[in-house]
Amino acid sequence: MNITIVGTGYVGLVTGTCFAETGVNVVCVDVNKKKIEDLKQGISPIYEPGLDELIIKNLRSGRLKFSTNLAECIDDSEVIFSAVGTPPDEDGSADLQYVLDVARTIGRNMKKYVCIVTKSTVPVGTARKVREAVEDELSKRGEKIEFDVCSNPEFLKEGNAVRDFLFPDRVVIGVENSRAEEVMSKLYRPFTLNNHSVIFMDVPSAEMTKYAANAMLAVRISFMNEIANLCDKVGADVSNVRKGIGSDNRIGNKFLYSGIGYGGSCFPKDVKALYHTGLDYGCPMKIVRAAEDVNDEQKLIIYHKLKAKLGSLEGKTICLWGLSFKPETDDMREAPSLYIISALAKEKGCKIRAYDPIAMSETKRRLPDMNVQYCNDLYEATEGADAILLLTEWKEFRLPDWDRIKTAIKGNLILDGRNIYEAKLLREMGFEYEGIGTR
């Protein structure tokens, strides 16, 4: 089976590479010539565990190819996935410019039936706009060529995307008719053979499913962060509360961990887009808006704790452990660390020392004017520090040599933004420890 993936960002590259791994012939297309030339050499533009090896393996097998010319790929493709970016517009709504550009290019160049699939996260009604864009281009050509438009939203977790794609909880596919369902069933047959759930539904429901899933998870995170903040006030421990409510099988124990807020490419963007979709249809999404407001405040909760503990930060040195929005990725989009660094940089005379295993280069790119000393390892970052702020729970931060750290730091304050440390142990060692909603 021959398919084309348009867009070699996070979603497109993982999708194309993993389909090639199942035996499909894949061409990944992008307008960025440098990126495509690098990919032809097996050089990935993103950090994702296991992805580099699969790219090289499938390049060598000939099942995975890269191109900058979508028009040349259309005739040979049974399915074309649109996985281009849908950045938030100024008002937070999803910008469909690139999605519709892909649709128009297909309409201008297609000569036979093709199944067009939106893989990007898009608002309800996008498939209809894609169909209209293709039909408009066909009309200009005086052609009547049949095609279908499907929705196949992704549910990939950064840091675990390859496994999520190859061993999915579920595959959601929105189709218009039995013909499209037959095409998509053929493509996903390797997954149904392994008893992975493939759920077919109408297209608007598939588009809504993606937004609803991410909004639900965002709401859970913000809810637990509010509970944690209240625990701080009343003397309760959110870790115990989490166990107590998570043992209720109506609630479950996933996404009940408090911390310093969510970030990344999906939750912030999708929550905003869903809220604006609600406004467009006269249905204000009040809970969704509240989740976003709580998250915006939570990103600076550890900064406010630091100020409460140390008062003026003039002359103080602050150590930051972790910069990416979550472990196992270099993604810095909407990472809480960006907001914390910006706040610390405004404090007169405050020095910032930081370490992240992967994301320091990306942080420098995003904050080129910030006076941050990037360190070679977690221990170097603690030298002369008045406080250590744990921002990202990378594995190497979980069991550090606290005796070594005690001799390196100037102060004794540990602020744990992810609640991974044992408070009793650190306090017995002479550290002043505080988590988010823990005792």
Side-chain angles (χ1 to χ4, degrees):
M1 194 169 187
N2 300 321
I3 71 171
T4 294
I5 310 286
V6 189
T8 58
Y10 190 86
V11 173
L13 188 56
V14 171
T15 299
T17 303
C18 290
F19 268 132
E21 180 69 7
T22 68
V24 178
N25 296 315
V26 180
V27 180
C28 290
V29 177
D30 202 291
V31 295
N32 187 322
K33 294 180 180 179
K34 175 65 165 61
K35 184 190 289 189
I36 291 299
E37 288 306 311
D38 285 345
L39 283 166
K40 287 179 178 179
Q41 303 302 314
I43 302 170
S44 173
I46 61 173
Y47 174 78
E48 179 62 37
L51 183 60
D52 289 4
E53 295 86 344
L54 288 185
I55 290 173
I56 293 170
K57 173 185 174 183
N58 287 283
L59 273 171
R60 289 173 177 169
S61 74
R63 289 190 301 270
L64 181 62
K65 297 178 181 179
F66 296 96
S67 173
T68 57
N69 194 325
L70 171 58
E72 290 181 353
C73 302
I74 293 172
D75 283 350
D76 293 328
S77 299
E78 298 168 72
V79 180
I80 300 175
F81 281 87
S82 177
V84 293
T86 54
D89 222 330
E90 290 184 5
D91 63 357
S93 60
D95 184 349
L96 299 178
Q97 171 189 343
Y98 304 115
V99 172
L100 297 179
D101 283 348
V102 171
R104 294 185 189 103
T105 300
I106 295 171
R108 284 193 294 267
N109 294 278
M110 63 186 291
K111 296 182 179 65
K112 61 179 181 61
Y113 170 84
V114 68
C115 185
I116 304 167
V117 183
T118 54
K119 195 70 175 173
S120 309
T121 301
V122 293
V124 176
T126 298
R128 173 178 48 79
K129 293 179 181 179
V130 167
R131 172 168 285 285
E132 290 170 353
V134 175
E135 288 175 341
D136 183 53
E137 293 299 330
L138 288 173
S139 177
K140 291 176 184 176
R141 294 168 53 194
E143 296 278 4
K144 288 188 176 181
I145 303 173
E146 292 188 347
F147 66 95
D148 287 311
V149 180
C150 301
S151 173
N152 179 208
E154 55 85 16
F155 298 97
L156 307 177
K157 298 187 293 292
E158 292 192 46
N160 201 48
V162 170
R163 180 170 180 80
D164 283 349
F165 193 98
L166 294 174
F167 305 96
D169 292 332
R170 80 291 198 198
V171 176
V172 172
I173 305 174
V175 295
E176 300 174 311
N177 51 50
S178 59
R179 179 178 57 187
E181 182 172 341
E182 184 177 334
V183 172
M184 296 302 288
S185 294
K186 178 183 176 183
L187 179 59
Y188 275 101
R189 180 165 170 73
F191 298 87
T192 56
L193 286 173
N194 291 324
N195 295 318
H196 297 301
S197 176
V198 178
I199 306 169
F200 284 96
M201 60 183 68
D202 61 275
V203 173
S205 295
E207 292 172 332
M208 179 61 83
T209 296
K210 170 64 176 181
Y211 277 123
N214 278 355
M216 172 65 79
L217 297 175
V219 166
R220 284 174 71 103
I221 292 170
S222 286
F223 175 79
M224 285 307 296
N225 282 334
E226 284 209 303
I227 292 295
N229 295 341
L230 184 57
C231 284
D232 272 338
K233 302 292 186 182
V234 302
D237 190 323
V238 74
S239 299
N240 293 330
V241 175
R242 185 189 73 248
K243 293 173 187 175
I245 66 175
S247 60
D248 185 332
N249 58 23
R250 296 172 301 174
I251 298 173
N253 57 15
K254 300 293 179 64
F255 280 79
L256 293 183
Y257 289 85
S258 57
I260 53 175
Y262 57 77
S265 63
C266 292
F267 286 7
K269 175 173 68 72
D270 293 352
V271 166
K272 285 183 174 69
L274 181 59
Y275 174 73
H276 281 279
T277 297
L279 292 181
D280 289 342
Y281 286 86
C283 182
M285 308 291 287
K286 297 176 184 177
I287 294 175
V288 169
R289 179 57 183 266
E292 181 184 11
D293 291 344
V294 169
N295 191 64
D296 288 345
E297 295 176 4
Q298 197 71 15
K299 287 180 178 180
L300 287 174
I301 192 75
I302 201 168
Y303 164 75
H304 295 306
K305 286 177 177 284
L306 178 69
K307 290 279 289 179
K309 292 288 186 181
L310 298 185
S312 171
L313 298 182
E314 186 172 2
K316 298 291 194 296
T317 298
I318 308 303
C319 162
L320 305 181
W321 278 354
L323 298 169
S324 57
F325 89 93
K326 64 179 285 189
E328 302 300 333
T329 181
D330 62 349
D331 195 341
M332 290 295 300
R333 285 173 288 187
E334 293 294 324
S337 63
L338 297 175
Y339 296 84
I340 293 163
I341 290 172
S342 296
L344 291 174
K346 294 176 183 176
E347 296 285 344
K348 183 180 178 181
C350 179
K351 298 178 181 178
I352 307 168
R353 297 171 66 84
Y355 169 71
D356 186 285
I358 297 293
M360 289 194 290
S361 294
E362 179 63 13
T363 309
K364 293 176 188 177
R365 188 187 72 81
R366 288 179 174 270
L367 300 175
D369 300 324
M370 294 294 178
N371 187 18
V372 179
Q373 183 171 349
Y374 296 96
C375 301
N376 294 315
D377 59 45
L378 64 94
Y379 297 107
E380 182 184 332
T382 66
E383 294 175 4
D386 293 277
I388 298 172
L389 277 59
L390 186 280
L391 306 184
T392 314
E393 65 276 32
W394 287 91
K395 290 178 182 176
E396 66 182 88
F397 296 141
R398 293 182 181 180
L399 283 174
D401 184 342
W402 291 113
D403 288 321
R404 179 178 174 182
I405 290 166
K406 197 171 182 180
T407 63
I409 63 174
K410 184 168 70 174
N412 69 341
L413 179 61
I414 310 290
L415 294 179
D416 182 358
R418 301 298 179 181
N419 292 345
I420 67 171
Y421 297 128
E422 187 179 345
K424 183 173 181 291
L425 172 66
L426 291 178
R427 287 168 182 153
E428 288 175 350
M429 294 184 69
F431 291 103
E432 183 179 3
Y433 171 87
E434 186 169 338
I436 309 296
T438 62
R439 297 184 67 181

